[in-house]
Amino acid sequence: MFVTVVRLPDGSERSFDHPVTVLDVASSIGAGLARAAIAGKVNGKLVDVSSYINDDSDLAIITEKDNESLEIIRHSSAHLLAHAVKELFPEAQVTIGPVIEDGFYYDFSYKRPFTTEDLAAIEKRMLEINKRNLSIERKVYERNEAINYFKDQGEHYKAQIIESIPGDEDVSLYFQGNFTDLCRGPHVPTTAKLKVFKLMKVAGAYWRGDSKNEMLQRIYGTAWTKKEDQKAYLHRLEEAEKRDHRKLGKQLNLFHAQEEAPGMVFWHPKGWVLWQQVEQYMREVLNNSGYQEIKTPQVLDKDLWVRSGHWENFRENMFTTNSEDRQFAIKPMNCPGHVQVFNQGLRSYRDLPVRLAEFGSCHRNEASGALHGIMRVRSFTQDDAHIFCTEEQVQAEVVDFIELLQGVYADFGFKEILVKLSTRPVKRVGSEDQWDKAEAALEAALTEKKLAWDLQPGEGAFYGPKIEFSLKDSIGRVWQCGTLQLDFSMPDRLGAEYVAEDNSRQVPVMLHRAVLGSLERFIGILIENHAGALPLWLSPEQVVVLNISKGQADYAQAVTRDLKRNNIRVSLDLRNEKITYKIREHSLQKLPYQIIIGDEEVRTETISVRNRSGADLGQMSISTFLELLSTEISVKGCTN
């Protein structure tokens, strides 16, 4: 007798004397669950609710309450978008439509650009298809049959995609009304499940990402399970727009970029003050943590890059030049140069660990389309360091680095750190014993520091496992900044060695580590995180002194000199303008404090102080104000 046992997450079991679908099982539990079902998870694999369960299996019914539902809804919304485009623009050809962070996109080939009005019409048609409550059905086709099917439909891109899939396995097609798409799935059971979505924008994208191919049109959208979630997301986008570091960089006169130097930054005086505050802070942290700062050449012979492995694996991103029949490369990273410093003189095991740090200026030939303000550039500076140590020292060095990193992020005002551990990939160097020890050391360090972390199996570099540290900013965005990578390969390739306790020559382990990553990018993150209202210790101008009339000019100048003597970054505004105008103008510059000097302040030898939020802190002595500033600067991560 045929019996299928389905085990549910609560530990209960249900038996069936015939093959059943996921939806059948949901219906046997309750009509409400059947209506809510979006997909199933059978033995850990996500499937459609129409999928059959033929053997004893573990099953979880996926509803909107489950985390997995959002990706399924977004993927199905991409199909809904393509369906709407095909109904409105039958000559358009569909290509690919994947899920991305916070939404989805779909690429189309069409004879003219889509307009804003087109997007509104497409979104309206998507809502209409949603209301039709069309069943979404999966059918399996033999490979050549599927290719011919799409060619008959005039969908040549889809046919190309199937032709490019290696092997000769069958493929799955999804049907909803008069629309068919190629997809692995799973998808929601009907279009009625897709209620909360919005089309965001249209952009250009090359077919298969190759600039030699046709330029397609990419329509971006977002989709959610709840209207409140979408509303919150759109609000975050509005906030992000207000915080755009490019706009604030111009408004606050920090930096600019121009066509003559694509992907490179022109720092203005105020912006360079901010840069120096970040760099000098990091320099102090490194000095206090046992690092030795070095400086390595900007241009190095091709031979070094060949030996390090960069020429083979990174050549297309390197700027090169020739001189006297020799080929050179402008460094895209600092590690080979640091090994050269380590190699000068014979090291003993007693010298280890050696920690070499550099604010290293690097250049990478990023695609012009990827450049973005100071967040993605071609010329950048890394707070780079490399630790040369023994295998036995790895865990302690990782623990120390994590403590350093946590302190730095807290000082910059970031409270939440997300951590990922990436382990050995299929293609790798080093022995299995080395990898075992390295991964165990990184995991033990994370455990010792009581950090929650996500495992990324197989995502490590070919030369060793790595830890990635990401920050969550004030509006919930995540920025990957810090890294720690363990390297078995490069020290050996570049001849690094030390004399062990038994007098043998050994190759040190090399830890690549950065806290901020790129200083340019991190400063962009700071600007957006604080919406330009930087903490007092980072603000390019900390105080501005304003007089009400000419009669207070001498005292205002004396106050300014006194603040400067106490290392406060202060400016003086003696313009013959109304005080309300000057206050408003400096408020737009997001200065932490404004000092107002009138006749009463001159008479009493005091100052009146306003903070950035517009609060009047009243009259006080200069010494009291300096104490206030000193306290606020010392706590760094807090803002006024």
Side-chain angles (χ1 to χ4, degrees):
M1 179 180 175
F2 180 92
V3 176
T4 297
V5 178
V6 176
R7 294 175 292 272
L8 300 171
D10 63 0
S12 63
E13 295 183 351
R14 289 183 178 259
S15 298
F16 300 89
D17 60 5
H18 56 278
V20 289
T21 65
V22 171
L23 188 59
D24 291 334
V25 179
S27 298
S28 74
I29 298 171
L33 181 60
R35 286 193 297 272
I38 285 178
K41 184 186 280 187
V42 178
N43 298 326
K45 180 182 178 182
L46 289 171
V47 298
D48 300 298
V49 295
S50 60
S51 293
Y52 274 92
I53 301 172
N54 296 307
D55 302 299
D56 293 354
S57 301
D58 296 320
L59 170 66
I61 308 296
I62 305 299
T63 70
E64 291 182 356
K65 297 178 181 179
D66 297 294
N67 293 333
E68 295 95 335
S69 68
L70 199 51
E71 183 166 341
I72 296 169
I73 285 170
R74 287 173 176 163
H75 200 166
S76 300
S77 297
H79 283 218
L80 185 67
L81 163 60
H83 188 168
V85 168
K86 288 296 292 184
E87 286 195 355
L88 291 170
F89 310 96
E91 295 178 14
Q93 287 198 43
V94 294
T95 63
I96 58 170
V99 174
I100 56 174
E101 185 177 2
D102 296 323
F104 59 91
Y105 69 77
Y106 215 115
D107 289 347
F108 301 93
S109 173
Y110 191 53
K111 60 187 176 184
R112 66 164 177 80
F114 289 125
T115 64
T116 303
E117 292 75 17
D118 291 333
L119 287 192
I122 294 167
E123 187 173 304
K124 182 179 179 182
R125 182 58 61 92
M126 290 171 69
L127 288 167
E128 291 172 6
I129 299 171
N130 155 256
K131 292 175 182 177
R132 294 178 204 167
N133 192 19
L134 299 174
S135 295
I136 300 175
E137 299 177 3
R138 179 179 187 268
K139 296 181 181 179
V140 176
Y141 277 59
E142 185 271 332
R143 177 193 178 93
N144 288 332
E145 183 184 11
I147 292 171
N148 291 331
Y149 175 88
F150 282 112
K151 285 182 176 179
D152 291 343
Q153 298 288 321
E155 299 292 349
H156 301 294
Y157 287 94
K158 288 294 180 186
Q160 282 186 47
I161 292 171
I162 301 172
E163 288 171 338
S164 67
I165 298 173
D168 56 359
E169 293 183 8
D170 294 344
V171 296
S172 57
L173 276 56
Y174 279 82
F175 295 77
Q176 55 189 55
N178 59 359
F179 177 72
T180 308
D181 208 345
L182 168 72
C183 192
R184 290 194 185 97
H187 286 280
V188 297
T190 77
T191 59
K193 296 287 186 183
L194 309 173
K195 299 176 182 178
V196 185
F197 54 81
K198 182 176 180 59
L199 298 186
M200 306 300 294
K201 63 179 180 178
V202 62
Y206 291 109
W207 169 236
R208 297 191 183 280
D210 189 337
S211 59
K212 297 176 183 177
N213 292 336
E214 178 192 354
M215 174 68 78
L216 305 173
Q217 296 187 68
R218 177 170 294 176
I219 297 178
Y220 288 93
T222 188
W224 302 83
T225 57
K226 299 175 185 175
K227 288 184 178 180
E228 311 90 83
D229 292 342
Q230 179 164 289
K231 185 177 180 181
Y233 168 69
L234 295 175
H235 176 69
R236 288 200 303 274
L237 289 185
E238 290 176 9
E239 275 297 308
E241 180 70 18
K242 293 176 189 175
R243 295 163 180 264
D244 190 319
H245 72 282
R246 295 167 297 180
K247 292 181 179 179
L248 289 170
K250 183 175 182 179
Q251 176 187 329
L252 304 179
N253 194 22
L254 301 176
F255 59 83
H256 82 277
Q258 61 189 61
E259 270 306 306
E260 288 81 357
M264 303 181 195
V265 186
F266 291 82
W267 290 100
H268 299 188
K270 289 182 181 179
W272 194 242
V273 170
L274 171 56
W275 173 286
Q276 288 296 315
Q277 289 305 116
V278 173
E279 182 180 325
Q280 293 305 329
Y281 165 81
M282 286 303 303
R283 179 168 283 115
E284 182 179 356
V285 168
L286 293 170
N287 287 340
N288 292 338
S289 301
Y291 288 81
Q292 303 173 77
E293 188 174 344
I294 61 175
K295 191 69 175 176
T296 58
Q298 201 68 16
V299 179
L300 294 164
D301 190 285
K302 169 188 171 182
D303 176 66
L304 181 63
W305 300 108
V306 171
R307 287 189 286 128
S308 71
H310 290 95
W311 195 262
E312 178 183 356
N313 297 299
F314 208 73
R315 168 68 185 85
E316 67 277 8
N317 294 107
M318 297 168 70
F319 289 102
T320 60
T321 186
N322 291 284
S323 176
E324 297 180 343
D325 297 323
R326 294 175 66 185
Q327 191 168 9
F328 297 85
I330 303 173
K331 66 177 179 180
M333 51 194 70
N334 303 294
C335 19
H338 287 200
V339 178
Q340 307 314 302
V341 174
F342 179 87
N343 285 350
Q344 298 306 298
L346 190 59
R347 307 274 184 174
S348 162
Y349 70 94
R350 294 187 182 89
D351 300 323
L352 304 184
V354 172
R355 306 180 189 97
L356 301 179
E358 178 177 10
F359 294 95
S361 180
C362 300
H363 290 75
R364 294 181 186 174
N365 191 15
E366 302 280 2
S368 59
L371 302 178
H372 178 71
I374 63 175
M375 297 284 205
R376 187 74 177 267
V377 289
R378 286 174 171 165
S379 174
F380 58 95
T381 300
Q382 293 179 312
D383 66 315
D384 213 356
H386 295 88
I387 301 169
F388 299 86
C389 63
T390 66
E391 289 185 14
E392 292 73 25
Q393 293 171 329
V394 167
Q395 182 176 332
E397 289 301 308
V398 175
V399 169
D400 288 347
F401 171 68
I402 292 172
E403 290 176 354
L404 182 155
L405 175 139
Q406 288 174 318
V408 169
Y409 288 170
D411 280 349
F412 281 112
F414 296 103
K415 297 180 175 63
E416 188 170 354
I417 305 174
L418 307 177
V419 183
K420 294 180 180 179
L421 172 62
S422 301
T423 55
R424 69 195 77 184
V426 174
K427 184 180 178 181
R428 57 183 182 268
V429 298
S431 68
E432 293 304 295
D433 182 57
Q434 285 178 313
W435 278 92
D436 289 340
K437 288 180 181 178
E439 291 172 358
L442 297 189
E443 185 172 338
L446 293 172
T447 301
E448 182 176 336
K449 297 309 299 176
K450 296 181 171 61
L451 289 176
W453 46 275
D454 291 329
L455 181 65
Q456 298 189 117
E459 294 297 316
F462 73 91
Y463 50 76
K466 63 180 178 179
I467 305 174
E468 295 178 355
F469 301 90
S470 298
L471 305 173
K472 184 171 283 190
D473 71 10
S474 56
I475 59 173
R477 295 173 300 179
V478 174
W479 305 92
Q480 198 275 307
C481 292
T483 57
L484 186 142
Q485 301 173 330
L486 196 152
D487 191 347
F488 302 122
S489 173
M490 193 179 301
D492 190 27
R493 294 179 71 134
L494 296 182
E497 60 182 20
Y498 67 94
V499 179
E501 192 170 3
D502 63 0
N503 286 324
S504 64
R505 300 292 178 93
Q506 300 293 327
V507 177
V509 177
M510 183 178 182
L511 299 178
H512 306 247
R513 45 109 294 171
V515 180
L516 308 183
S518 152
L519 266 69
E520 286 81 357
R521 181 171 177 268
F522 191 79
I523 290 172
I525 294 169
L526 281 175
I527 292 168
E528 295 200 1
N529 180 66
H530 296 287
L534 293 161
L536 181 64
W537 72 284
L538 287 172
S539 294
E541 284 186 56
Q542 296 168 317
V543 181
V544 62
V545 179
L546 314 173
N547 66 319
I548 295 176
S549 63
K550 290 182 179 179
Q552 302 103 31
D554 289 345
Y555 182 61
Q557 289 173 330
V559 169
T560 302
R561 286 194 297 270
D562 202 357
L563 292 173
K564 284 185 176 179
R565 280 195 294 269
N566 284 275
N567 298 316
I568 301 302
R569 296 187 291 278
V570 57
S571 61
L572 176 64
D573 187 346
L574 296 177
R575 290 177 300 164
N576 186 26
E577 299 283 358
K578 290 183 178 180
I579 189 65
T580 52
Y581 173 83
K582 291 199 282 189
I583 289 172
R584 184 170 60 252
E585 190 175 65
H586 289 288
S587 295
L588 291 174
Q589 290 299 299
K590 302 179 183 287
L591 269 66
Y593 291 100
Q594 298 182 19
I595 290 177
I596 315 300
I597 304 294
D599 289 338
E600 178 65 15
E601 286 74 22
V602 173
R603 187 183 68 79
T604 58
E605 294 188 348
T606 59
I607 56 176
S608 288
V609 181
R610 289 170 56 94
N611 69 12
R612 183 156 42 204
S613 64
D616 185 352
L617 304 187
Q619 285 187 333
M620 63 184 73
S621 66
I622 294 176
S623 61
T624 299
F625 181 57
L626 284 169
E627 288 177 12
L628 183 155
L629 296 181
S630 178
T631 300
E632 187 174 334
I633 288 170
S634 69
V635 296
K636 285 189 169 63
C638 300
T639 58
N640 63 341

